[in-house]
Amino acid sequence: MQNSHGGRPPMQMHPASVLVRQILVLNEVMEFIMRREMDLNETDFQAMQHLMKQRSMSPGELAKVLHLTAAATTTVIDRLARKGHITRTPHPTDRRRWLISPSEQSVRAAMENLMPMILDVDNKVRSYNDRDQAVIVDFLNSVVASMGSRVAALENGPAPIPPTVHTDSRKV
């Protein structure tokens, strides 16, 4: 059977694949709520996510992971500092550099929102026997690997398409 586009009908997705998609959508909703509660735009929220993961970064490191210029990153850092989300401390070995760290208050607020969900998931996975836990971990590892390889492919981008050359023999 073919659809109206001449191709095969779409394959029915496995329930696990549908659930992964729902997780991605719910993650977006969760991030929106957290951005709203923290009074952050999307870029500032991404900066906070990187800072919470790394615990501290130089402005240059932050610029690199955000894919921003130094000037744009300085603007992000200034906004986060004004709102009390970060602290700036001198680099321990290079007095010309600074380290940016999330404020304890921001970390605490984020964890208050996330920990109930994290603990629910942790309790659920621990309710399975060791063999089933290993299957769950294997599946989630494959999801992470698939997403990681797709992110890498998208970041590298497709090969550039050469410009199309139009020839017109009817030149005026």
Side-chain angles (χ1 to χ4, degrees), residues 21-42 45-46 48-49 52 107-121:
R21 176 67 183 132
Q22 287 179 339
I23 290 168
L24 294 172
V25 170
L26 287 168
N27 184 65
E28 289 177 14
V29 172
M30 189 74 165
E31 285 185 359
F32 174 81
I33 291 167
M34 290 183 70
R35 284 193 317 262
R36 184 183 62 209
E37 287 184 9
M38 296 174 78
D39 189 29
L40 297 175
N41 65 37
E42 190 168 342
F45 184 76
Q46 288 175 4
M48 288 301 297
Q49 286 181 307
M52 286 186 189
V107 171
R108 188 172 32 257
M111 290 300 102
E112 285 174 1
N113 284 322
L114 294 174
M115 283 311 290
M117 175 189 62
I118 291 168
L119 292 174
D120 284 350
V121 170

Side-chain angles (χ1 to χ4, degrees), residues 52-71:
M52 286 186 189
K53 180 180 177 186
Q54 299 297 324
R55 299 308 286 163
S56 70
M57 302 174 84
S58 71
E61 292 168 331
L62 188 57
K64 186 175 180 178
V65 297
L66 292 175
H67 307 285
L68 295 176
T69 64

Side-chain angles (χ1 to χ4, degrees), residues 73-122:
T73 303
T74 298
T75 302
V76 169
I77 291 168
D78 289 344
R79 278 194 308 259
L80 291 171
R82 274 194 306 275
K83 293 180 180 184
H85 289 298
I86 61 158
T87 59
R88 292 177 176 137
T89 56
H91 192 279
T93 59
D94 184 347
R95 39 175 255 238
R96 296 168 296 168
R97 295 178 57 198
W98 291 87
L99 290 177
I100 311 304
S101 303
S103 69
E104 289 304 317
Q105 177 184 347
S106 287
V107 171
R108 188 172 32 257
M111 290 300 102
E112 285 174 1
N113 284 322
L114 294 174
M115 283 311 290
M117 175 189 62
I118 291 168
L119 292 174
D120 284 350
V121 170
D122 192 67

Side-chain angles (χ1 to χ4, degrees), residues 104-145:
E104 289 304 317
Q105 177 184 347
S106 287
V107 171
R108 188 172 32 257
M111 290 300 102
E112 285 174 1
N113 284 322
L114 294 174
M115 283 311 290
M117 175 189 62
I118 291 168
L119 292 174
D120 284 350
V121 170
D122 192 67
N123 287 333
K124 182 61 181 174
V125 77
R126 288 175 188 279
S127 74
Y128 294 98
N129 65 42
D130 290 345
R131 184 177 162 278
D132 289 346
Q133 286 182 37
V135 170
I136 292 166
V137 169
D138 178 63
F139 171 73
L140 292 174
N141 274 327
S142 71
V143 171
V144 168

